[in-house]
Amino acid sequence: MDLATLSTLNAERAARRATILVTDVATGAQRLVKAADISGDRLAEALDKQLRMAKSAMIEAEGRSFFLTVQAPPPRVIVTGAVHISQAMAPMAQLLDLDLVIVDPRTAFATPERFPGVRLLTDWPDEALASLGLDGYTAFVALTHDPKIDDPALEAALRSDCFYIGALGSRKTHGRRLERLAAAGFDAAATQRIHAPIGLDIGAVSPAEIALAILGEIVSTLRGPRRASA
């Protein structure tokens, strides 16, 4: 790998942006394809498939063999709300290799005893999310039912490239949420990104079932066709 390619790869890694190194097996020639450029690449279909799976692989195309080295950032799930659902989500997310961060200024709820081994931030969401940064490999989930906590975080998520945005609540609750977001300047095209009701429709009732439905929807979105901004 030449120095220019290595420098670009390292810069993309630091910025939490995915890349694929395409190596011609016969000649050893290499080129680096950024995630944002995949749709215009001659190997777009194969590149997109491997990126969605986050797996490197050998492929055959154009009568040649290519090795695709996939570099994808570890996906994160940022949750506002140290609640029963997020307690159930924590061990499930770990099993799925999803980095989970809980944001809740209510220190009585956001405690290490309730969330062992989980990164907890007790700042207000606008401060916490600014420090974390939101990108195309971040899922955001709002679970508090408290507009003072959820709304600023949702606004930050809608201004970002988060691959998934979800919010807990009934259709009536979400309707009021949409009114507040519209008043804050977000149009229908923006708020349609919010998954609400949140989670896959599996008839979930308990906190653990709701957590499973949410994580299932997140994984489905992550592994499905990627947006150009990812």
Side-chain angles (χ1 to χ4, degrees):
M1 184 186 303
D2 61 47
L3 288 178
T5 299
L6 178 61
S7 177
T8 301
L9 188 151
N10 287 336
E12 294 298 292
R13 178 188 290 119
R16 282 182 52 86
R17 291 191 293 262
T19 60
I20 300 179
L21 182 67
V22 181
T23 303
D24 186 318
V25 175
T27 68
Q30 294 182 317
R31 59 189 181 89
L32 190 67
V33 182
K34 298 178 182 179
D37 299 330
I38 285 177
S39 61
D41 194 271
R42 67 181 191 271
L43 301 178
E45 184 176 354
L47 297 178
D48 181 69
K49 176 183 176 182
Q50 296 309 131
L51 180 57
R52 284 188 281 111
M53 294 190 298
K55 291 184 180 297
S56 301
M58 183 82 73
I59 67 163
E60 300 292 328
E62 304 174 343
R64 307 180 71 85
S65 298
F66 298 94
F67 190 79
L68 308 182
T69 305
V70 176
Q71 174 188 277
R76 300 182 299 179
V77 181
I78 298 176
V79 179
T80 51
V83 296
H84 292 309
I85 295 171
S86 48
Q87 279 185 293
M89 286 178 68
M92 297 183 196
Q94 185 176 18
L95 289 172
L96 294 168
D97 292 326
L98 297 170
D99 292 337
L100 185 72
V101 182
I102 304 293
V103 178
D104 198 325
R106 303 171 300 181
T107 54
F109 298 114
T111 66
E113 291 75 23
R114 297 184 73 227
F115 293 90
V118 176
R119 184 178 180 187
L120 298 171
L121 296 181
T122 55
D123 300 319
W124 284 91
D126 52 348
E127 298 174 0
L129 269 59
S131 67
L132 289 169
L134 302 173
D135 54 45
Y137 278 83
T138 300
F140 171 72
V141 177
L143 296 180
T144 73
H145 283 303
D146 186 342
K148 296 191 302 295
I149 297 175
D150 285 343
D151 284 9
L154 279 167
E155 291 177 19
L158 289 171
R159 288 192 292 266
S160 77
D161 290 331
C162 283
F163 75 87
Y164 176 91
I165 302 172
L168 187 68
S170 66
R171 295 186 187 279
K172 184 177 180 179
T173 296
H174 187 56
R176 291 195 295 267
R177 180 186 293 128
L178 293 178
E179 291 174 1
R180 295 193 301 272
L181 290 171
F186 293 93
D187 61 19
T191 56
Q192 282 175 359
R193 294 176 60 196
I194 302 173
H195 292 257
I198 196 171
L200 298 177
D201 185 6
I202 60 172
V205 176
S206 69
E209 290 173 349
I210 296 170
L212 175 64
I214 293 170
L215 288 172
E217 191 169 54
I218 288 173
V219 171
S220 175
T221 306
L222 176 66
R223 300 306 178 202
R226 303 291 291 166
R227 293 187 297 275
S229 59

